[in-house]
Amino acid sequence: MKRQMVRNMRRPIRTVMIVGLFLAGMWLMVGCQESLPERCQREAREYTKKKCPVPINEVVTLDSLTFDSGTLTIHYHYTVKGHADSEEVIERSKEQLASSLLAGLRNSTEMKVYMDAHYRFAYTYHSATHPETVLWEAVYTDKDYQ
């Protein structure tokens, strides 16, 4: 069961790549008429409006993508449900989840423009049963991914 959960939690890496491709595609359509932070703000808003919620697997859903221009942070907001909706389960898997997310970020050519600009990437996982409960969160900076 733990192996299956770890496999399921790795699927957010694919989401990072899909979001990156979406953001890159939007950038090509707009060109150089806006700054990178403006572009990121718009693309995060458009992605959330058009695509979210996005089921990542049977227990994780990407609810929204936001951008904080003050801290240059791209923030992924997830909900966890089912057997993984437990602080104990997340606690046992957080090291593997953290390393999977960081590896996906490091290997993402789609997010390279943001990494080159020293953006931060935040991931927050909320409980579906108790939405105010944050089960896990992480923030990666250029010191982590470069």
Side-chain angles (χ1 to χ4, degrees):
M1 177 142 154
K2 182 178 178 185
R3 181 175 285 184
Q4 180 182 0
M5 192 195 134
V6 169
R7 190 175 335 122
N8 288 338
M9 296 301 275
R10 287 183 185 163
R11 291 190 182 155
I13 295 169
R14 282 190 232 151
T15 301
V16 169
M17 289 186 240
I18 291 168
V19 170
L21 285 173
F22 179 80
L23 296 176
M26 295 301 294
W27 179 74
L28 289 174
M29 290 176 16
V30 172
C32 298
Q33 300 173 1
E34 60 189 345
S35 70
L36 188 59
E38 291 170 335
R39 181 182 109 193
C40 192
Q41 182 76 50
R42 178 184 48 77
E43 290 173 349
R45 186 175 46 251
E46 289 174 2
Y47 183 85
T48 298
K49 183 178 178 183
K50 291 178 183 179
K51 306 281 184 179
C52 290
V54 179
I56 305 303
N57 55 46
E58 61 273 358
V59 296
V60 177
T61 300
L62 174 62
D63 297 312
S64 65
L65 178 64
T66 60
F67 177 67
D68 181 339
S69 59
T71 61
L72 299 179
T73 303
I74 298 171
H75 199 144
Y76 298 85
H77 302 270
Y78 295 96
T79 297
V80 179
K81 65 181 181 179
H83 68 276
D85 186 358
S86 155
E87 291 180 16
E88 294 79 28
V89 171
I90 297 297
E91 182 65 30
R92 288 192 308 263
S93 305
K94 71 180 182 181
E95 286 182 31
Q96 292 171 334
L97 178 58
S99 63
S100 293
L101 286 171
L102 185 55
L105 190 56
R106 285 179 176 153
N107 295 323
S108 174
T109 57
E110 297 85 8
M111 301 308 274
K112 184 176 183 339
V113 67
Y114 300 111
M115 290 187 283
D116 288 347
H118 308 285
Y119 278 39
R120 297 162 34 111
F121 298 85
Y123 302 87
T124 301
Y125 291 80
H126 284 271
S127 166
T129 308
H130 305 285
E132 69 284 351
T133 301
V134 174
L135 296 172
W136 186 75
E137 61 186 338
V139 178
Y140 298 107
T141 68
D142 56 345
K143 291 177 179 69
D144 299 311
Y145 58 74
Q146 290 187 349

